[in-house]
Amino acid sequence: MNLGHLLLGKPLATKDLPHQAISKRVGLAVFASDALSSTAYATQEILVILSIAAIGSTAIWQTQGNILAIAIPIAIAISILLAIVTISYRQTIFAYPNGGGAYIVARDNLGETPAQVAGAALLTDYILTVAVSISAGVAQITSFFPELAPLRVHIAVAVIGLMTLVNLRGVKESGTIFAIPTYFFLGVMLLTLAAGFVRLLGGSLGVIPPDSVEIVPHLGESLVTPEAAGAFIFLILRAFSSGCTALTGIEAISNGIQAFHEPRSKNAAKTLVVMSSVLIVLFIGITVLAVNIHAIPSEHETVISQLGRSVFGANSMMHFLLLGGTALILLMAANTSYADFPRLAALIAADGFLPRQLTNRGGRLVFSWGILFLSLAAALLVIIGNASTTTLIPLYAIGVFLSFTMSQYGMYIHMGRVGKLKPGEEIQGLETVMKYDPHWHRKQIISLIGAICTFVVMVIFAITKFTHGAWFIVILIPLLVLVFFKIHHHYKSVAHELSLAGSRPDTKPRTVQTIILIDDVHRETARLVNVAKSLRHPWKAIHVAVNPEKALKVEQKWNERIGEGELLILQSPYRLLAEPIADYIEDIQKQEPSCFVHIIVGHLAMDTFWEQALHSNSSLILNLIFSRMENVVFTTVPYRIHTHEEDDAEDTKREPEQQELTPTA
Amino acid sequence: MNLGHLLLGKPLATKDLPHQAISKRVGLAVFASDALSSTAYATQEILVILSIAAIGSTAIWQTQGNILAIAIPIAIAISILLAIVTISYRQTIFAYPNGGGAYIVARDNLGETPAQVAGAALLTDYILTVAVSISAGVAQITSFFPELAPLRVHIAVAVIGLMTLVNLRGVKESGTIFAIPTYFFLGVMLLTLAAGFVRLLGGSLGVIPPDSVEIVPHLGESLVTPEAAGAFIFLILRAFSSGCTALTGIEAISNGIQAFHEPRSKNAAKTLVVMSSVLIVLFIGITVLAVNIHAIPSEHETVISQLGRSVFGANSMMHFLLLGGTALILLMAANTSYADFPRLAALIAADGFLPRQLTNRGGRLVFSWGILFLSLAAALLVIIGNASTTTLIPLYAIGVFLSFTMSQYGMYIHMGRVGKLKPGEEIQGLETVMKYDPHWHRKQIISLIGAICTFVVMVIFAITKFTHGAWFIVILIPLLVLVFFKIHHHYKSVAHELSLAGSRPDTKPRTVQTIILIDDVHRETARLVNVAKSLRHPWKAIHVAVNPEKALKVEQKWNERIGEGELLILQSPYRLLAEPIADYIEDIQKQEPSCFVHIIVGHLAMDTFWEQALHSNSSLILNLIFSRMENVVFTTVPYRIHTHEEDDAEDTKREPEQQELTPTA
């Protein structure tokens, strides 16, 4: 208990929930780290694809520089898409102020199945984000300290553990703690860009020597020349969609609006706009500089690192700070998932499509089950995937783009509904308030463009990465949706079975037949007899003769020490405990069909887990077994055993009447 | 259930226990495999130590052959010790016909602490035997098929799993299945020795070419010459004690006498004598041939393999059969531990020094908990030790020799007690019948010699291997003994607390205050009210307002649908379920100190585990929590939910009255 408080902080009262809201500054750190982290690799992803058109040598800029320079217009196009999606999500934030993003938008506008598809896609992607970004961050760390490489799975799991602890303390605390690395990355990156552009304009920015970096091995295998127009357009499309990983993470704020201070929607929307602006500046800035330094897409040195050494010089302090900041932002990207996954899972669970437990708020008012599930799933992925990003990355981003499409298309429908309102009209929905909006048509078109673009990107992702693992996601998401609906069906059936349909049920008292199960005759047995007598219904004691010799002794002791009531010995040739009792209960129920059979079992309650483990604890198992019978009531009579003197003292203090009450011999 | 029957066979009735006894032929296979397997490495162990005196080259036989030939007299000396220990154990078998070997002998003659030391030593050694012998067997397999080497931990764990399954089926079955490999090894080995001696006497047995085998790397580091007499004697002692690993396993029969057909002692004793004779023949035979072929102690080729290729030619069919048989016997050695560990653990548990559950016989009349514990512990060792024998072997054999010493010394004391009897006198002990024996003095001396020799060997083991891991055993055994006594103390305290001391306890009926805990108002709630009313004691319903909004709805529904009794809403600012109830119970107990507080909780019982996991199952957790309070009685009222139609049909068949009974809306 004290260790728990030390690690997680003191429990928070339910009424403290509003105090757990976060400011825009902290919100940017919590929700932007995923989006910002994508600038660490998006430019590189574009260059890798464009290099396919170049000759397979590190001298690609000298021979095919004009093709690789297309990275800049592609980055600008992606930024425009990013702006469109941002505008659409901004509308979502105001239209659906309780958060839930794509899930709620789809549920409200597209129906139950699209909503569950969006939910499954987002939840899957959040798990992958944690696994991928922590693996990538750890890979950065182990490239500084190669001697740590064999421990990378251990380090990744430890980081997940740490992130779990901090998030179990609450989003407010995790935001405050994790704001430092996010702002550190932002500072270093902006400094790098500023210095880079100053040197570029001053003409002093050098070019990466072609032989200083090893090129990605698979490059140059398929040479696509600008002459083969169809193939070339396809290449540009692939480069565009690969670069679209820069968009991942911008949905985060729309899911987590509830984490913000009031006025929530306004604060969330402002944070979203700041985040997207910063993202566009970083992304275009990095891409322009990368083209100008002739950065080489390589497995051995990232484009960010090449940028750092061009701007500041190799192994300079600033170069290291840039690499460190990048490692940090990759680790922090996982934290965004911790902010969103539990909230989204709770929303879906509240709709009855995921286990209800996910809606419970823990001691620190966070959705503890969601946090723990996210950590376990991500840790499992990291262990199975051996903390390697190359196995995990192809699985990534399809889910986010699926949810983007759903969300944009949902907003398109939403705006259509808004368009049907008369001026001044207002409709109050479950999650939304629809007001007349003169600009509905423009907003609708923006969402439609966003939906089409993100859909195309998703399809390109799914096709080009299909054989590298994307097939898994293509199978997994429908499967998850199926499971969600199975869960929903279960809850509906249970609710149906339990429904009183508004009527008063018949609770007329029935007869009760009591049986007490005894293993031996001692003080605990006397307690059982005492309880049975106190309940004042007909009772009988039963001993199952698992060990026939012992049964004889029990019978003898019963007669000597208890000497009242009837003791029945049930034979059990196969040493089973529950089955002979179950048969006996069925006999009673045949004779008297309308009675409750009341089974009373003793339980020796010990002070510690280890002491408890030294006893058979059969009451727990029997409870589960007899729960499967109808009209059976199962009672446990605990008998506390104190083998430690300190505990005795403590208990005497708490329950002064105890000493007198225990029947003395 | 059916899968269980398929894997383990149908359950056996308690009265079938005598039919599970095994014949001498099967007994030899079960209990001798551990002892016989030691011939696979004992000769090599002697040669490794003797080679320390030789020059560090593979030409050791050409330069120091006279020193290595000392292996033969050492093997003869070890065989004499083996014969002495065998004679002593044969006496033990007749004196203690219920088995338990060193543990029972020590308990009866030396006292409680020495008995627990012997028990802890033997149990530790059995776990190590499983881990070491399976690792060694798998190492033999992977040296045939090097491509399997990366999977060796997986294979070892799989073999342990298989052995667990076969042993859970029962010793009789495991004996029958595992007799084949044991007798196969015995046949191939005897054939090899016969062929070897024929070729030796015919003068056609060649010598291993010195350069065909790589010598053990550490040899030659410390050159001990015969001139340095003290060091030389120490070397001979070390070689002697290393060769004494040949003795490990001869205690097995004395522990497992109960597995044999009646007359148990006679059958066990005969099996012991046959086993020891075969062991001596194999050990001396292998050692004589190894010296004659100038076998070279090496990490790369075992002495057995060198023997095989000298006798039959390298890579001949018989050479492979010999290697295969050796691999099999090493795996089978683990099976002896499976026969002994659960029996010994059950004996110690029956004395209250280990958890009582170890005395339960499973469906197939074996001590299932003991088998499972042995498997888990061995698998853990294999995984931690990476299935490498070099890490595990230094831990090995100390425990066995400690138990040898205890057992021999115990028999020395026992024979002393026998010596005090008058002719014809007979004393009936708990585990033994002491009869007058005219040869008591001779027998006593044999046991004393055995005790001294095995003690010396143990000390040499502990000293020479101390830094290689033996320190772990030297710490572990006392620690285990401490734990055993802690467990014993716990059971004694509990027995004391529960003791009625022969008197009749007071079971005068008390008042019962019933509270039913409700989460919502539906059909299950009506069942709870029905039970409370049927019990006919004053009752009250309680709802803990974890979610204040829900609490209001529950109150309203209660009034509408139940409309009788009192519903109390308890506030819970920290969203805790149990604590407000516990406070309320304490209030009741303050007002009415002598009453039982009867808590009634509903439990939704589902058909499958997964469905059950979708519900909070708080009754199970509350049961554990309230078990820690005094004078509280905890009742679970199960309410079965059928969401599957098939199950409905089945249940209607079993409980025809059910349909009518459920209160209908």
Side-chain angles (χ1 to χ4, degrees):
Chain A
M1 212 52 176
N2 287 333
L3 183 70
H5 285 185
L6 192 72
L7 288 175
L8 304 180
K10 288 204 176 139
L12 295 170
T14 311
K15 63 177 170 47
D16 287 337
L17 194 51
H19 302 298
Q20 288 297 297
I22 56 178
S23 64
K24 291 195 287 291
R25 198 162 34 80
V26 172
L28 188 67
V30 171
F31 290 106
S33 37
D34 184 10
L36 293 183
S37 75
S38 54
T39 58
Y41 46 80
T43 302
Q44 178 162 343
E45 294 284 309
I46 299 174
L47 289 176
V48 165
I49 301 297
L50 290 177
S51 310
I52 296 173
I55 298 161
S57 85
T58 46
I60 44 175
W61 285 94
Q62 283 60 42
T63 55
Q64 305 281 341
N66 53 332
I67 295 176
L68 276 80
I70 300 175
I72 294 174
I74 288 177
I76 292 169
I78 292 170
S79 296
I80 293 169
L81 177 58
L82 202 156
I84 292 172
V85 174
T86 301
I87 292 168
S88 185
Y89 267 117
R90 201 174 160 274
Q91 291 162 19
T92 306
I93 287 171
F94 286 108
Y96 296 93
N98 291 328
Y103 177 73
I104 295 291
V105 173
R107 197 182 68 181
D108 201 41
N109 296 291
L110 307 175
E112 220 165 43
T113 308
Q116 298 312 319
V117 171
L122 276 172
L123 292 182
T124 311
D125 226 78
Y126 286 138
I127 295 170
L128 284 166
T129 301
V130 174
V132 168
S133 62
I134 287 184
S135 297
V138 171
Q140 291 261 2
I141 295 170
T142 55
S143 69
F144 296 160
F145 309 105
E147 61 274 25
L148 291 177
L151 291 173
R152 69 179 187 286
V153 173
H154 299 81
I155 296 172
V157 171
V159 171
I160 291 176
L162 186 73
M163 216 154 244
T164 310
L165 267 186
V166 174
N167 277 285
L168 285 175
R169 286 187 75 103
V171 171
K172 193 178 183 178
E173 304 235 0
S174 77
T176 317
I177 295 171
F178 291 150
I180 301 161
T182 304
Y183 283 108
F184 174 72
F185 166 78
L186 207 55
V188 175
M189 203 51 163
L190 288 174
L191 211 64
T192 307
L193 293 183
F197 276 99
V198 166
R199 292 194 61 182
L200 178 64
L201 298 175
S204 71
L205 189 66
V207 161
I208 295 286
D211 297 329
S212 73
V213 185
E214 267 185 76
I215 200 162
V216 180
H218 71 261
L219 291 188
E221 280 170 17
S222 62
L223 187 65
V224 181
T225 55
E227 286 76 38
F232 188 65
I233 287 168
F234 184 67
L235 187 79
I236 299 291
L237 274 177
R238 272 190 67 188
F240 175 79
S241 58
S242 282
C244 275
T245 47
L247 270 72
T248 60
I250 50 169
E251 84 291 352
I253 290 175
S254 72
N255 289 321
I257 307 172
Q258 290 201 313
F260 284 87
H261 271 307
E262 292 285 4
R264 282 180 190 162
S265 294
K266 252 191 185 158
N267 285 328
K270 274 184 195 161
T271 312
L272 173 65
V273 171
V274 171
M275 177 180 88
S276 293
S277 312
V278 171
L279 191 54
I280 290 173
V281 168
L282 293 189
F283 181 45
I284 295 184
I286 291 169
T287 309
V288 169
L289 286 180
V291 167
N292 277 286
I293 63 163
H294 291 188
I296 293 159
S298 160
E299 278 184 347
H300 301 277
E301 191 184 359
T302 60
V303 166
I304 297 290
S305 171
Q306 294 176 43
L307 187 63
R309 74 176 155 110
S310 294
V311 173
F312 300 116
N315 300 327
S316 61
M317 172 60 88
M318 278 303 293
H319 184 208
F320 278 122
L321 288 181
L322 180 64
L323 294 182
T326 311
L328 282 175
I329 198 73
L330 285 168
L331 294 177
M332 284 311 105
N335 195 47
T336 304
S337 295
Y338 276 96
D340 275 339
F341 181 98
R343 279 200 174 73
L344 181 58
L347 272 174
I348 300 177
D351 288 346
F353 287 89
L354 274 178
R356 287 268 161 78
Q357 292 93 319
L358 289 165
T359 62
N360 297 349
R361 285 184 189 268
R364 296 285 293 179
L365 287 165
V366 293
F367 298 111
S368 316
W369 285 101
I371 292 174
L372 292 175
F373 182 84
L374 174 61
S375 296
L376 279 179
L380 206 68
L381 266 183
V382 164
I383 292 167
I384 292 173
N386 213 7
S388 140
T389 46
T390 44
T391 19
L392 296 170
I393 274 191
L395 310 177
Y396 185 58
I398 297 176
V400 165
F401 275 83
L402 179 53
S403 79
F404 281 164
T405 309
M406 296 292 216
S407 152
Q408 313 289 307
Y409 186 63
M411 284 309 288
Y412 166 76
I413 302 285
H414 179 82
M415 284 302 163
R417 286 160 68 200
V418 168
K420 285 186 188 130
L421 298 177
K422 290 180 198 88
E425 199 181 353
E426 197 176 305
I427 293 179
Q428 176 75 46
L430 194 69
E431 299 280 348
T432 181
V433 181
M434 283 197 288
K435 281 183 202 156
Y436 172 77
D437 185 339
H439 308 300
W440 69 271
H441 199 66
R442 184 166 51 82
K443 289 183 175 174
Q444 196 186 23
I445 300 237
I446 289 174
S447 291
L448 187 63
I449 295 172
I452 293 169
C453 291
T454 52
F455 179 73
V456 169
V457 172
M458 182 197 74
V459 170
I460 294 174
F461 270 146
I463 292 171
T464 54
K465 295 174 176 177
F466 193 79
T467 50
H468 297 97
W471 60 267
F472 179 68
I473 297 298
V474 172
I475 292 170
L476 180 70
I477 290 175
L479 218 68
L480 282 179
V481 172
L482 198 74
V483 171
F484 287 9
F485 273 96
K486 282 229 157 210
I487 290 172
H488 190 58
H489 174 75
H490 171 80
Y491 281 128
K492 277 204 297 192
S493 317
V494 171
H496 177 76
E497 290 249 339
L498 288 177
S499 167
L500 289 168
S503 67
R504 284 215 175 180
D506 172 18
T507 57
K508 205 165 65 233
R510 311 196 211 166
T511 55
V512 176
Q513 294 281 359
T514 305
I515 53 183
I516 63 178
L517 303 184
I518 66 162
D519 172 54
D520 204 339
V521 178
H522 43 50
R523 204 171 280 276
E524 185 205 20
T525 324
R527 169 70 60 95
L528 290 180
V529 171
N530 194 352
V531 168
K533 282 165 74 180
S534 302
L535 286 170
R536 297 173 193 279
H537 290 273
W539 63 275
K540 220 174 245 183
I542 286 185
H543 174 81
V544 179
V546 170
N547 178 344
E549 289 162 33
K550 184 181 169 185
L552 291 175
K553 281 188 206 152
V554 168
E555 202 164 17
Q556 187 191 343
K557 279 202 238 172
W558 176 269
N559 294 333
E560 280 171 16
R561 316 250 164 106
I562 307 292
E564 61 179 320
E566 186 186 338
L567 172 68
L568 200 70
I569 306 279
L570 295 180
Q571 297 307 315
S572 177
Y574 293 94
R575 301 169 304 291
L576 298 168
L577 190 57
E579 285 69 6
I581 305 167
D583 291 344
Y584 181 74
I585 291 170
E586 281 181 13
D587 283 348
I588 296 179
Q589 291 183 329
K590 256 177 215 147
Q591 285 165 29
E592 197 170 356
S594 74
C595 78
F596 282 122
V597 176
H598 189 186
I599 307 169
I600 303 184
V601 179
H603 174 72
L604 291 178
M606 303 291 156
D607 290 324
T608 66
F609 171 81
W610 293 109
E611 287 176 290
Q612 198 72 56
L614 292 175
H615 297 269
S616 64
N617 299 301
S618 43
S619 72
L620 301 177
I621 297 145
L622 290 174
N623 193 349
L624 287 177
I625 293 175
F626 290 121
S627 288
R628 304 190 62 83
M629 298 189 78
E630 299 280 354
N631 295 312
V632 162
V633 176
F634 190 92
T635 292
T636 319
V637 177
Y639 191 89
R640 281 205 73 184
I641 299 282
H642 303 282
T643 52
H644 302 284
E645 268 120 273
E646 318 90 274
D647 291 345
D648 274 342
E650 186 199 309
D651 260 87
T652 318
K653 207 182 70 196
R654 271 196 61 171
E655 292 162 328
E657 73 277 24
Q658 171 48 23
Q659 296 309 82
E660 308 147 31
L661 283 179
T662 315
T664 45
Chain B
M1 215 50 180
N2 287 331
L3 183 71
H5 285 185
L6 192 73
L7 288 175
L8 304 180
K10 289 203 175 136
L12 296 170
T14 311
K15 64 177 170 46
D16 287 339
L17 194 52
H19 302 299
Q20 288 296 300
I22 56 176
S23 64
K24 292 195 287 291
R25 199 163 34 79
V26 172
L28 188 66
V30 171
F31 290 105
S33 35
D34 184 10
L36 293 182
S37 75
S38 54
T39 59
Y41 46 80
T43 302
Q44 179 161 342
E45 294 283 310
I46 299 174
L47 289 176
V48 165
I49 302 297
L50 290 177
S51 310
I52 295 174
I55 297 162
S57 85
T58 45
I60 44 175
W61 283 95
Q62 283 62 43
T63 54
Q64 305 280 342
N66 53 333
I67 294 177
L68 276 81
I70 300 174
I72 295 176
I74 287 177
I76 292 170
I78 291 170
S79 297
I80 293 169
L81 177 59
L82 201 156
I84 291 172
V85 174
T86 301
I87 293 169
S88 183
Y89 267 117
R90 201 175 161 271
Q91 293 162 17
T92 307
I93 287 171
F94 286 108
Y96 297 93
N98 291 328
Y103 177 71
I104 295 292
V105 172
R107 197 183 67 181
D108 202 42
N109 297 291
L110 306 176
E112 221 165 42
T113 308
Q116 298 312 321
V117 171
L122 276 172
L123 292 182
T124 311
D125 226 79
Y126 286 138
I127 295 170
L128 284 166
T129 301
V130 173
V132 168
S133 62
I134 286 184
S135 297
V138 170
Q140 291 262 359
I141 294 170
T142 53
S143 69
F144 296 161
F145 308 105
E147 62 273 25
L148 291 177
L151 292 173
R152 69 180 187 286
V153 174
H154 300 80
I155 297 172
V157 172
V159 171
I160 291 176
L162 186 74
M163 217 153 243
T164 310
L165 266 186
V166 174
N167 276 285
L168 285 175
R169 286 187 75 103
V171 171
K172 194 178 184 178
E173 304 236 358
S174 78
T176 317
I177 295 170
F178 291 149
I180 301 160
T182 304
Y183 282 108
F184 173 73
F185 165 77
L186 206 56
V188 175
M189 203 51 163
L190 287 173
L191 211 64
T192 307
L193 291 184
F197 275 99
V198 167
R199 290 193 63 182
L200 178 64
L201 298 175
S204 70
L205 189 64
V207 161
I208 294 286
D211 296 329
S212 72
V213 185
E214 267 184 76
I215 199 162
V216 180
H218 70 259
L219 292 188
E221 279 171 17
S222 63
L223 187 66
V224 181
T225 54
E227 286 77 40
F232 189 65
I233 287 169
F234 184 64
L235 187 80
I236 300 290
L237 273 177
R238 271 189 71 186
F240 175 80
S241 58
S242 283
C244 275
T245 49
L247 270 74
T248 59
I250 49 168
E251 83 292 351
I253 291 175
S254 72
N255 288 321
I257 307 172
Q258 289 201 313
F260 284 87
H261 273 305
E262 291 285 4
R264 283 179 190 164
S265 294
K266 253 192 184 157
N267 284 329
K270 274 185 194 161
T271 311
L272 174 65
V273 170
V274 170
M275 179 180 86
S276 292
S277 311
V278 171
L279 191 53
I280 290 173
V281 168
L282 292 189
F283 181 46
I284 294 185
I286 292 169
T287 308
V288 169
L289 287 181
V291 166
N292 276 287
I293 63 165
H294 291 189
I296 293 159
S298 160
E299 276 184 349
H300 300 277
E301 192 183 359
T302 60
V303 166
I304 297 290
S305 171
Q306 294 175 42
L307 187 63
R309 73 177 156 110
S310 293
V311 173
F312 300 117
N315 299 328
S316 62
M317 173 60 88
M318 278 303 294
H319 183 206
F320 278 123
L321 288 181
L322 179 63
L323 294 182
T326 311
L328 282 175
I329 199 73
L330 285 169
L331 294 177
M332 284 312 104
N335 196 47
T336 303
S337 294
Y338 276 96
D340 275 337
F341 181 96
R343 280 198 174 73
L344 181 58
L347 273 174
I348 299 176
D351 288 345
F353 287 90
L354 275 178
R356 288 267 162 78
Q357 292 92 320
L358 289 165
T359 63
N360 297 348
R361 286 182 188 269
R364 297 284 294 178
L365 286 166
V366 293
F367 298 110
S368 317
W369 286 101
I371 292 174
L372 293 175
F373 182 84
L374 174 61
S375 297
L376 280 179
L380 207 68
L381 267 183
V382 164
I383 292 168
I384 292 172
N386 211 8
S388 140
T389 46
T390 43
T391 19
L392 295 171
I393 274 190
L395 309 180
Y396 186 58
I398 297 176
V400 166
F401 276 83
L402 179 53
S403 78
F404 282 164
T405 309
M406 297 290 219
S407 151
Q408 314 288 308
Y409 184 64
M411 285 308 288
Y412 166 76
I413 301 286
H414 179 80
M415 284 303 164
R417 285 159 68 198
V418 168
K420 285 188 187 128
L421 298 176
K422 293 185 194 82
E425 198 181 354
E426 197 176 306
I427 293 180
Q428 175 78 46
L430 194 67
E431 298 281 348
T432 181
V433 181
M434 283 197 287
K435 282 183 200 155
Y436 172 75
D437 185 340
H439 308 300
W440 70 271
H441 200 65
R442 183 166 51 84
K443 290 182 175 175
Q444 198 186 20
I445 299 240
I446 290 174
S447 291
L448 188 61
I449 295 172
I452 293 168
C453 291
T454 51
F455 178 74
V456 169
V457 172
M458 183 198 71
V459 170
I460 294 175
F461 270 145
I463 292 171
T464 55
K465 296 173 175 177
F466 191 81
T467 51
H468 297 97
W471 60 267
F472 179 68
I473 298 298
V474 172
I475 292 169
L476 181 69
I477 290 177
L479 218 68
L480 282 179
V481 172
L482 198 74
V483 171
F484 288 9
F485 272 96
K486 280 231 157 209
I487 291 173
H488 191 57
H489 173 76
H490 171 80
Y491 281 128
K492 277 204 296 192
S493 319
V494 171
H496 177 75
E497 291 251 340
L498 289 177
S499 166
L500 287 168
S503 67
R504 284 212 175 184
D506 172 19
T507 58
K508 202 165 69 233
R510 311 198 211 165
T511 55
V512 176
Q513 293 281 0
T514 305
I515 52 182
I516 62 178
L517 302 185
I518 67 161
D519 173 53
D520 203 339
V521 179
H522 43 50
R523 203 171 279 278
E524 185 204 20
T525 323
R527 169 69 60 95
L528 289 181
V529 172
N530 194 353
V531 169
K533 283 165 72 179
S534 302
L535 286 170
R536 296 173 194 279
H537 289 274
W539 63 275
K540 219 175 248 185
I542 286 184
H543 173 81
V544 179
V546 170
N547 179 344
E549 290 162 32
K550 186 181 169 186
L552 292 175
K553 280 189 206 153
V554 168
E555 200 163 19
Q556 186 191 346
K557 280 202 239 171
W558 175 271
N559 294 332
E560 282 172 16
R561 315 251 164 106
I562 306 292
E564 61 178 318
E566 186 188 340
L567 172 66
L568 199 71
I569 307 280
L570 295 181
Q571 297 308 315
S572 178
Y574 293 93
R575 300 169 306 290
L576 298 167
L577 191 56
E579 284 69 7
I581 305 167
D583 290 343
Y584 181 74
I585 292 170
E586 281 181 14
D587 283 348
I588 296 180
Q589 290 182 332
K590 255 176 218 153
Q591 285 165 28
E592 198 171 356
S594 74
C595 78
F596 282 122
V597 176
H598 188 186
I599 307 169
I600 304 185
V601 179
H603 173 72
L604 292 177
M606 303 290 156
D607 290 324
T608 65
F609 171 80
W610 293 109
E611 287 176 290
Q612 198 71 58
L614 292 176
H615 296 268
S616 65
N617 299 301
S618 43
S619 71
L620 302 177
I621 297 146
L622 290 174
N623 193 350
L624 288 178
I625 293 175
F626 291 119
S627 288
R628 303 190 62 83
M629 298 190 78
E630 299 280 354
N631 296 311
V632 162
V633 175
F634 190 93
T635 293
T636 320
V637 177
Y639 191 90
R640 281 206 72 184
I641 298 284
H642 302 283
T643 52
H644 302 284
E645 268 120 273
E646 317 91 273
D647 291 343
D648 275 339
E650 185 199 306
D651 259 88
T652 318
K653 210 183 72 215
R654 272 196 60 173
E655 291 163 326
E657 72 278 20
Q658 172 47 22
Q659 297 308 83
E660 307 148 32
L661 282 181
T662 315
T664 46

